[in-house]
Amino acid sequence: MLRRLVVAIIVLAIVGGAGFWLLTEPKPLSAAEIPDRPGDPAKGELLFWAGGCASCHAAPGAKGDDKLILAGGEPIVSPFGTFHPPNISPDKTHGIGNWSTLDFVNAMKRGLGPGGEHLYPAFPYTSYQRMPVSDIVDLKAYLDTLPPVATDSPPHELPFPFSIRRGLGLWKLLYLNGGTFEPDPTKSDEINRGAYLVEGPGHCNECHTPRNAIGGLDFTHHLAGAPNPSGQGFVPNITGGKGGIGDWSAEDIANFFETGMTPDFDSVGGTMVDVQENLAHLPASDRAAIAAYLKDLPPLDRSDGRTASD
C-alpha cells in the first residue's frame, strides 16, 4: 500500500511538472512576422518619447541629451521585490547592441529575452504588446542610433517564488494575449490615435490603473487612479469621474502635456514630471489626440473611492 502511494505521488509530481513546463513555455514570434524593411529612426524617435523610455532607463534626474544615455535608471521598488531597469543602449556587451530586431520585438510583444527567458512585467510589455510590429521595428532603429554605454545594471532583488522566471509563463496566460491595438470604427481618427498612444506605447495603465494581488491590471477601474508603485501617494484618476479631471477641457490637458502647467496654474510634480517632459517632444497633434481620448473615456470615480483632495 505504501509503495503504491509513493508511486502515485511520484507520477503526480511528474505529470504536474510536465504540465507546468508546457503551460509556462515561451511563445516567441517568428522571423517571418517581422517586416522585410529597415526601421525608420525618425518614426522611432517619436515612439521613444511616447513610450517614456528615458524615464526608466536613463539616470534619475537626467536632462537634455543625458536622457539618451540609457544605461539603466532608478530601481523600481514593488511588493514583489526590487527591479533594476537594464541598460538598453546599443552597447554590444552591456546593452542590447547584439539583439536582433526579432529579439527586440519579442521583448516588446511577448515579454521574452533573447534566450527565450521570461521578462518581468515591471517592463510594461502588457501595454507594448498593443504596438504593431512595424512601430517596434522603427523604435529599435532609433535606439540603435543612441550612444552605447559600457555599464552593467544590477540584477533584480526578488524573493522566492518571484525569483523563478519560468512561473511568469502562468501569469502571462492571464495578462498577455499578444493583441495589437485595433481602432474603434465608431470613433474619430483623432480619438483612435490618442487611444493607441495611451494604451500602447504610452503605457498609461501601468501607473493609472490599479492592480490586483498578483500584479494584474484591474480594468474595471481603467485609468481611475492607483496606489503609486513606489508605495508613496496615489497616482491620479485621469478619467472624468469623481476625483479625476472632468473639469479639465481637452485644451487644458494638451497644454498640460506641453507646458507642465495645470488649469489652475499649478505645475506638474513627482514622477509625472518625466512623463510630461517626454510628451512635450510629441507633435501637438498627438498631444491633442491623447487629450481627446481621455475626454472620451467613461467617467469613473477614483479607484479607492476618495476625491483627489482627500
Side-chain angles (χ1 to χ4, degrees), residues 18-109:
F20 172 81
W21 198 254
L22 289 171
L23 286 171
T24 60
E25 184 178 17
K27 299 174 178 63
L29 296 170
S30 69
E33 296 172 87
I34 306 300
D36 185 19
R37 66 163 179 82
D40 184 333
K43 292 181 179 177
E45 182 178 9
L46 185 151
L47 292 162
F48 173 85
W49 294 115
C53 306
S55 296
C56 283
H57 296 280
K63 299 292 181 183
D65 288 345
D66 286 344
K67 283 195 168 189
L68 306 181
I69 307 299
L70 305 178
E74 190 170 5
I76 300 170
V77 180
S78 81
F80 307 100
T82 299
F83 298 92
H84 294 275
N87 181 335
I88 60 166
S89 81
D91 186 272
K92 293 184 181 298
T93 301
H94 306 275
I96 62 172
N98 273 332
W99 286 31
S100 68
T101 300
L102 178 60
D103 290 336
F104 188 70
V105 170
N106 272 317
M108 296 283 284
K109 286 191 77 73

Side-chain angles (χ1 to χ4, degrees), residues 243-263:
I245 56 173
D247 57 347
W248 290 31
S249 68
E251 292 74 18
D252 290 334
I253 298 170
N255 182 68
F256 174 74
F257 293 149
E258 181 180 10
T259 66
M261 298 298 295
T262 68

Side-chain angles (χ1 to χ4, degrees), residues 256-281:
F256 174 74
F257 293 149
E258 181 180 10
T259 66
M261 298 298 295
T262 68
D264 56 0
F265 304 104
D266 197 1
S267 59
V268 62
T271 55
M272 190 63 194
V273 171
D274 277 343
V275 177
Q276 181 273 316
E277 290 178 350
N278 294 330
L279 294 177
H281 286 270

Side-chain angles (χ1 to χ4, degrees), residues 146-222:
L146 299 181
V149 187
T151 302
D152 275 329
S153 53
H156 301 318
E157 302 165 52
L158 308 176
F160 178 84
F162 308 120
S163 56
I164 301 175
R165 286 181 182 265
R166 188 77 185 203
L168 285 166
L170 296 176
W171 189 88
K172 287 181 178 180
L173 292 175
L174 297 173
Y175 301 110
L176 190 73
N177 62 18
T180 301
F181 173 80
E182 293 289 344
D184 183 341
T186 68
K187 303 293 184 181
S188 68
D189 289 345
E190 181 180 52
I191 289 175
N192 274 312
R193 175 63 177 172
Y196 169 63
L197 292 170
V198 167
E199 305 294 337
H203 62 280
C204 303
N205 283 295
E206 306 293 333
C207 285
H208 289 277
T209 297
R211 296 179 183 272
N212 59 28
I214 59 173
L217 292 168
D218 175 9
F219 283 101
T220 62
H221 298 287
H222 179 220

